[in-house]
Amino acid sequence: MKRRCPVQSCFLSLRVWSCLALVCAAHVFAPGSLGQALGNPNDAASAGPRPRPTPAPRPTPPVFPPRASCPQYTIRAGADTIVPGDTDTGNHCVWCETLIALPFPFVLYDQTFTAVNVTSSGRLDFVCANEPAAAEESCLPAVPNNCPYDYTIFALWAEWGTLTYPSGCSTWANGCGIFTSVSGTAPNRIFNIEWHVVYRLNDVQTGNFEVRLYENDPSGRFDVIYGVITAVTPPVIDSVGVQGLPGFFTGDFCSVPPPQNTSRTYQLQPCGTPTPTATPRFTPAPRPSP
């Protein structure tokens, strides 16, 4: 006599066989999916890596102009004399500027320049043409006029003119104007910029002065040299010095008669080596005794 399984046992066996059949079918037709579902490492690897989202690009940080690392110049008096200029820049006017190329890069404060605006009023404007049709002389720091007086050498800022016809221009064989020359040889040249000017309100009064720019000087040296000057007496304003970014300027004199047959040497103060600051270390709290 055959033994029959209880109804519940037979029904359970039928469910087991059905499940096994479904597992086999799934393994045949979708091995990758089944392997991942069952945790089979071989099948999971065959399915390939999951795609990762592409990260959003990071914004580029803004670039700010550097500040002057050695912001102030020192001034030393001397007895250097004018080196005559032999090339006419073409500046023959009142309250005007002429852009000229420099024979070598020159560093003023923390910026390097290859050209400069020479002005009939006795300035070198390295950044902005600031010569309007009006007199705006002032003591340093000079407030903006057409634009800020950033990076400007004030050789002898006053109401000068470089026109060719005033009677005072006969003082020089090559007349009034701004003239340049180069001294020395590379890489240690000096660029000389010489003014032959007359006072705007009295053209028989004259001024002769010069700026000398030094090539590759580690202190950013430049000189201002004064020859014979028969004009500019108080209350007329004359202003001398150098000015960089706001807050950076070195003045020599203002609203006083200019010196005669003398020179001024401008050099950046040497940068000191910063003292390293020790990084504080974390000291752990003592453990309580057991």
Side-chain angles (χ1 to χ4, degrees):
M1 181 177 178
K2 294 183 179 180
R3 298 179 58 188
R4 294 184 178 181
C5 62
V7 175
Q8 293 181 351
S9 299
C10 294
F11 182 71
L12 179 61
S13 300
L14 181 61
R15 290 180 61 186
V16 171
W17 284 107
S18 300
C19 290
L20 290 175
L22 290 174
V23 168
C24 293
H27 186 70
V28 171
F29 294 105
S33 300
L34 181 64
Q36 293 177 8
L38 296 180
N40 187 324
N42 295 327
D43 289 339
S46 65
R50 293 182 179 180
R52 296 183 178 181
T54 302
R58 295 183 178 181
T60 303
V63 178
F64 297 101
R67 299 287 286 186
S69 56
C70 301
Q72 304 299 350
Y73 281 83
T74 58
I75 303 175
R76 175 173 51 85
D80 294 334
T81 58
I82 289 177
V83 177
D86 53 22
T87 300
D88 191 341
T89 63
N91 184 283
H92 300 288
C93 51
V94 177
W95 294 310
C96 70
E97 310 201 23
T98 302
L99 181 66
I100 63 172
L102 300 177
F104 49 80
F106 175 72
V107 177
L108 186 66
Y109 288 97
D110 58 346
Q111 298 295 316
T112 302
F113 299 95
T114 58
V116 66
N117 289 291
V118 296
T119 76
S120 59
S121 299
R123 300 189 321 273
L124 295 180
D125 293 344
F126 283 87
V127 172
C128 181
N130 224 332
E131 199 62 65
E136 295 290 346
E137 296 84 11
S138 68
C139 297
L140 301 186
V143 299
N145 193 13
N146 288 347
C147 48
Y149 285 98
D150 294 349
Y151 300 99
T152 297
I153 294 176
F154 300 84
L156 186 56
W157 187 22
E159 293 194 41
W160 299 115
T162 55
L163 295 168
T164 57
Y165 56 80
S167 59
C169 294
S170 60
T171 303
W172 305 278
N174 52 354
C176 288
I178 304 176
F179 305 87
T180 64
S181 63
V182 178
S183 304
T185 58
N188 299 303
R189 292 168 290 180
I190 304 173
F191 188 47
N192 312 298
I193 306 172
E194 182 190 11
W195 277 261
H196 296 171
V197 291
V198 296
Y199 185 45
R200 185 183 65 85
L201 300 178
N202 186 355
D203 62 19
V204 299
Q205 295 181 320
T206 62
N208 184 203
F209 51 92
E210 180 175 73
V211 173
R212 307 187 77 198
L213 307 179
Y214 287 73
E215 180 181 21
N216 291 322
D217 189 278
S219 66
R221 176 180 175 178
F222 66 90
D223 299 338
V224 181
I225 302 175
Y226 303 98
V228 176
I229 301 170
T230 63
V232 189
T233 57
V236 173
I237 293 178
D238 60 341
S239 187
V240 173
V242 61
Q243 185 166 315
L245 292 175
F248 298 140
F249 71 95
T250 302
D252 188 1
F253 58 85
C254 181
S255 295
V256 298
Q260 305 281 319
N261 300 312
T262 187
S263 65
R264 301 286 195 270
T265 294
Y266 290 71
Q267 292 175 292
L268 283 172
Q269 296 177 2
C271 295
T273 302
T275 303
T277 302
T279 303
R281 295 185 178 183
F282 171 74
T283 303
R287 295 182 179 181
S289 301

